[in-house]
Amino acid sequence: MWRVWCESVRYLSVNELEVLISHEQIAGRVAELGKQITADLSGQPVIFVGVLKGAAVFLSDLVRKVQLDATFDFIGVTSYGNPSQQGNIWDSTGEVRLTKDVDRSLRDKNVILVEDILDTGLTLTFIKRLLWGHQPKSFRVAVLLDKPSRRKLAVEADYVGFTIPDKFVVGYGLDYAEQYRNLPDICVVPAVG
Ligand code: IMP
Ligand code: MG
């Protein structure tokens, strides 16, 4: 049913989107995650590594709720393949490619990877393998959203903002064809067809 969207992208106006998680709920949960990370790292410095572009908004709010010496960096990844021939534009093909590596060494550092959403797990599995290669001192994963019902590979995050049902969502950094990243709430894109 979502496939229809790939053939011709139609942008919905913001008032056609149903709010799933409000900006107030997001702010409350992000503050809790920041507190939990602060406690877990118990005074040690940390590097947050955000996955472009979806995690940029979450990372910028999360780091301001963490009371530790913190720096941040970004990586970029993309999936191979032509999505329009494969079906859904957000389905990972499983062939993930790095488009931007971290700028600074992660060796012997406490690293927290920050991702917008954990879906099939293909992207996170690739990134985890990649970042472990940098030999960090510790490695944790924080995701704003988790869609466990779509998991193809057994991978979990250490910090999860919200567990959501199998719906396509946008806002607070998440996009549909690069649109809607700046919505303050997490909204559901309705299925069509
Ligand atoms: P995975 O490899 O299937 O776990 O996909 C993770 C990536 O797919 C995320 O980083 C997002 O870029 C994208 N994605 C998965 N579900 C959604 C969604 O509901 N909205 C927007 N992007 C999504
Ligand atoms: Mg992403």
Side-chain angles (χ1 to χ4, degrees):
M1 52 180 174
W2 284 341
R3 191 161 306 185
V4 177
W5 287 77
C6 305
E7 284 150 21
S8 65
V9 172
R10 182 173 81 89
Y11 298 111
L12 292 163
S13 68
V14 171
N15 54 20
E16 286 179 274
L17 301 172
E18 173 207 337
V19 174
L20 180 68
I21 307 169
S22 70
H23 58 277
E24 292 95 344
Q25 288 173 289
I26 297 169
R29 186 67 187 127
V30 170
E32 286 174 2
L33 293 177
K35 222 172 158 180
Q36 199 181 332
I37 290 169
T38 303
D40 290 352
L41 272 289
S42 51
Q44 300 177 79
V46 59
I47 302 183
F48 290 90
V49 177
V51 184
L52 293 170
K53 305 169 197 164
V57 178
F58 176 39
L59 183 144
S60 73
D61 282 347
L62 183 64
V63 293
R64 285 177 286 172
K65 297 295 176 190
V66 170
Q67 291 174 339
L68 296 167
D69 287 346
T71 57
F72 49 90
D73 206 335
F74 290 95
I75 59 167
V77 292
T78 187
S79 287
Y80 283 106
N82 179 348
S84 64
Q85 288 167 2
Q86 289 159 5
N88 301 326
I89 60 162
W90 57 89
D91 269 350
S92 299
T93 59
E95 283 190 83
V96 185
R97 182 167 62 91
L98 187 73
T99 56
K100 186 208 168 294
D101 205 345
V102 284
D103 295 333
R104 295 277 186 91
S105 168
L106 303 178
R107 197 176 182 132
D108 299 326
K109 311 281 189 199
N110 297 301
V111 173
I112 300 189
L113 180 80
V114 182
E115 175 62 310
D116 52 2
I117 185 165
L118 174 53
D119 189 25
T120 63
L122 294 165
T123 307
L124 183 59
T125 301
F126 171 86
I127 294 171
K128 274 183 91 166
R129 201 173 297 148
L130 181 96
L131 293 189
W132 269 119
H134 286 263
Q135 299 180 278
K137 178 179 175 191
S138 69
F139 182 75
R140 294 173 170 86
V141 178
V143 298
L144 177 69
L145 303 174
D146 186 9
K147 272 196 239 179
S149 59
R150 297 223 335 137
R151 202 77 88 250
K152 288 184 184 161
L153 294 180
V155 60
E156 299 303 328
D158 302 278
Y159 306 100
V160 175
F162 301 91
T163 299
I164 63 164
D166 181 10
K167 292 189 185 298
F168 191 75
V169 292
V170 294
Y172 197 73
L174 290 113
D175 75 309
Y176 170 65
E178 295 296 330
Q179 300 293 306
Y180 309 116
R181 292 194 195 274
N182 62 326
L183 298 183
D185 306 307
I186 306 277
C187 298
V188 177
V189 176
V192 292

